[in-house]
Amino acid sequence: MEAINNFFGWLFGTRPGVLVLMVFGVLLFLLIAWLLEKRMRKQFYNHEKTEGDWDLFDNGDEDA
């Protein structure tokens, strides 16, 4: 039980522990976002763009 207390004390009480916690959180959310994006692309694979659609990477240059 003392080992668990020491681990949580290190994780939340020291700078390296908090840094590990933050990096793990960022990686977890990146994994979740990637999985959800992959799932949505599979679900809407045949979606044809209409005039009302927007794209995250669209720069607005229709002429170029």
Side-chain angles (χ1 to χ4, degrees):
M1 191 67 174
E2 187 176 340
I4 295 172
N5 286 334
N6 288 339
F7 173 72
F8 281 112
W10 173 81
L11 190 62
F12 293 103
T14 64
R15 283 185 183 208
V18 172
L19 183 63
V20 167
L21 194 62
M22 290 176 60
V23 168
F24 178 74
V26 168
L27 290 176
L28 177 68
F29 280 103
L30 282 174
L31 176 66
I32 290 169
W34 180 76
L35 288 172
L36 289 174
E37 178 68 21
K38 188 174 178 178
R39 185 173 151 198
M40 286 294 113
R41 286 185 185 261
K42 185 185 282 187
Q43 186 175 357
F44 297 110
Y45 67 95
N46 60 350
H47 176 71
E48 293 182 18
K49 285 203 173 245
T50 61
E51 191 170 326
D53 287 347
W54 61 274
D55 189 5
L56 180 63
F57 303 107
D58 185 22
N59 60 3
D61 294 337
E62 296 296 328
D63 305 341

